[in-house]
Amino acid sequence: MEGGKVMSEKRNVLVGQSGGPSSAINATLAGVVEQALTSAKVDKVYGMKHGIKGVLEDWIIDIGIPLGGPAEQKRLIHTPSSALGSCRYKLKSAQDDPAAYKTIFERFKQYNIGYFVYIGGNDSMDTVKKLSEYAKEHGIDVAIMGAPKTIDNDLHGMDHSPGFASAAKYIATTFAEVWCDAKVYDYPTVTIVETMGRHVGWLCAASAVARAQGNAPHLIYLPEVAFDDSAFLEDVKAQLAKSPAVVIAISEGIKRADGKYVCEDEGNVTVDAFGHKNMGGACRVLENLIRSKMNIKVRCVDLSILQRCAGHLASSVDLHESRILGSIALSRALEGVSGQVSVLNRVSDDPYRVEYSTVPSYTIANHEKPVPREWINARGNDVTEELVKYVTPLLGGLFGSDLSAGYPKHFGF
């Protein structure tokens, strides 16, 4: 290894997916496979089932054959969720778990892996960082690269994260349709819609795009601003004075000034393998709060997993960019680059244009990008027009899947 680069020869590629699924993560996988199949440096393309656990458990399959044609690759691009499966596995440091690293790099040797691409979010990029540093320290000839993914849009070093645009498109569309339903009655009603977003509110904020089709949502609450029950009730009453129907967008991760999540009022909150609290239920807490203080009809809607794998509303921009980011991650690995992540950054809004590059994985791993405070109004119950302008170009046009049977046809290994 010289200057942070590994010397290349004809070797095999290994790719995996980790973290929460999305409508675009398979497009990134397709980009990696397409790049691999056209490279003279690559012999076989392997996929690991269920993320890095697939290496530890030897759940490795040849994916070059089933994805050898353009028709199969296109179907994969338009298939939501993680075709190779995913995991919530936290790779410890080499000092804390030397056996895991020994197994991983013995597996790389067993399958003649020269190029490894891991598709995922913050924690997945931490895995890229740890493995690339280990390979460099031990003189191991494997190029390890990351390709970004997260619907939360919280990755540093890039304008937006693959998967976010499609989820945002689903959310904006859903709010426009919820407003069509809510406004039909002449008596007061409140509808609270909960989106994903544990620590950052990008997804919830995207609901504001729906206002191009109507008035909703009337109120938007993000984790970036402390939530106050009394102020919330005042906001709802003020909106009801203007309209009999009020639609409210809340992020699952809204929390009060004392740091307690609103959803924790529902009861015990468990944590995942990374120590993150499992969210969900804030809308029910607020539904009960309104019902106890006002004599009006109120309901809550938790979008839950529907927003992250809504392939029928995937953004064409999202799928295109995700595919390119996968291709770039492997192409840089083929050049000998290791320990970096493919990223994109916006050059202009109109016409919408981005540029692609790579950045060191340590600049992304374990960091979160919040919604800028200046894109949230002073009271903390809405977002500004700058946020809407930021999201709108990402939504794209038709998703382009095969609907010959009347519903999408998905790819599966």
Side-chain angles (χ1 to χ4, degrees):
M1 184 180 296
E2 298 178 5
K5 295 187 176 183
V6 293
M7 306 307 292
S8 299
E9 59 184 27
K10 191 161 186 177
R11 306 275 294 283
N12 297 330
V13 170
L14 179 63
V15 59
Q17 300 166 310
S18 182
S22 78
S23 294
I25 190 171
N26 284 334
T28 305
L29 174 60
V32 173
V33 173
E34 290 169 355
Q35 184 68 35
L37 294 178
T38 57
S39 173
K41 296 182 178 180
V42 175
D43 183 14
K44 293 183 178 181
V45 188
Y46 290 111
M48 52 187 185
K49 301 283 286 184
H50 304 294
I52 198 66
K53 288 180 67 176
V55 181
L56 293 168
E57 303 293 340
D58 198 13
W59 299 332
I60 295 174
I61 60 174
D62 188 330
I63 62 175
I65 295 175
L67 288 172
E72 291 77 18
Q73 293 167 12
K74 181 179 179 181
R75 181 168 293 181
L76 175 64
I77 290 171
H78 295 290
T79 297
S81 190
S82 305
L84 286 170
S86 188
C87 69
R88 293 288 190 183
Y89 182 88
K90 180 70 172 179
L91 183 67
K92 299 178 181 179
S93 68
Q95 290 73 27
D96 292 335
D97 193 0
Y101 288 76
K102 183 174 184 292
T103 298
I104 289 170
F105 284 94
E106 284 180 348
R107 202 79 71 201
F108 285 172
K109 183 176 181 181
Q110 175 187 348
Y111 285 90
N112 191 28
I113 303 301
Y115 317 101
F116 175 67
V117 177
Y118 206 27
I119 307 169
N122 292 314
D123 294 304
S124 302
M125 296 309 104
D126 181 59
T127 298
V128 170
K129 172 181 176 291
K130 288 173 178 173
L131 292 180
S132 61
E133 289 176 347
Y134 184 92
K136 182 178 180 180
E137 290 170 4
H138 292 80
I140 300 173
D141 183 17
V142 180
I144 299 170
M145 292 290 292
K149 174 269 349 163
T150 178
I151 66 169
D152 291 326
N153 196 38
D154 62 351
L155 297 182
H156 271 281
M158 63 191 76
D159 180 78
H160 55 277
S161 308
F164 167 69
S166 293
K169 185 173 183 175
Y170 176 85
I171 289 168
T173 302
T174 298
F175 271 88
E177 293 173 346
V178 166
W179 175 236
C180 289
D181 178 275
K183 68 181 181 180
V184 301
Y185 301 109
D186 61 352
Y187 52 83
T189 64
V190 175
T191 305
I192 308 168
V193 183
E194 178 177 328
T195 72
M196 286 183 169
R198 179 185 290 112
H199 297 141
V200 300
W202 291 103
L203 286 170
C204 186
S207 64
V209 176
R211 290 173 181 157
Q213 302 292 328
N215 298 326
H218 301 86
L219 298 166
I220 300 174
Y221 298 92
L222 313 181
E224 284 81 356
V225 178
F227 185 83
D228 181 87
D229 291 27
S230 297
F232 171 71
L233 290 172
E234 291 174 3
D235 293 342
V236 174
K237 291 176 182 177
Q239 289 298 323
L240 284 169
K242 302 175 185 178
S243 169
V246 174
V247 176
I248 303 170
I250 67 166
S251 175
E252 64 182 358
I254 54 173
K255 54 187 175 183
R256 301 185 179 93
D258 62 1
K260 182 180 179 181
Y261 290 102
V262 170
C263 67
E264 292 185 84
D265 290 5
E266 280 275 282
N268 294 327
V269 176
T270 59
V271 297
D272 63 18
F274 299 114
H276 305 317
K277 289 184 177 180
N278 293 311
M279 299 284 99
C283 65
R284 290 187 292 274
V285 173
L286 299 186
E287 177 188 16
N288 291 332
L289 176 63
I290 292 175
R291 184 173 287 117
S292 68
K293 301 296 184 180
M294 304 180 199
N295 184 27
I296 60 173
K297 182 179 178 65
V298 57
R299 73 187 79 188
C300 76
V301 179
D302 186 352
L303 298 185
S304 189
I305 62 172
L306 298 177
Q307 62 209 283
R308 69 185 186 187
C309 286
H312 62 290
L313 275 174
S315 160
S316 58
V317 171
D318 198 14
L319 298 184
H320 173 71
E321 292 176 343
S322 298
R323 176 184 176 189
I324 292 176
L325 286 165
S327 177
I328 289 174
L330 181 56
S331 66
R332 294 305 306 276
L334 293 170
E335 294 170 1
V337 176
S338 187
Q340 300 216 356
V341 181
S342 55
V343 299
L344 56 80
N345 280 293
R346 193 176 314 206
V347 176
S348 65
D349 287 317
D350 188 15
Y352 172 72
R353 189 164 63 88
V354 297
E355 289 182 346
Y356 299 90
S357 62
T358 61
V359 298
S361 57
Y362 64 78
T363 65
I364 295 179
N366 302 314
H367 296 288
E368 288 183 319
K369 179 183 70 177
V371 175
R373 185 60 183 86
E374 61 269 24
W375 286 6
I376 306 171
N377 71 349
R379 188 169 173 83
N381 64 6
D382 204 349
V383 297
T384 66
E385 186 60 28
E386 283 77 12
L387 188 286
V388 176
K389 291 179 180 178
Y390 166 82
V391 175
T392 301
L394 308 181
L395 304 186
L398 297 175
F399 69 102
S401 182
D402 181 3
L403 288 172
S404 59
Y407 53 87
K409 295 180 179 179
H410 295 155
F411 179 90
F413 289 108

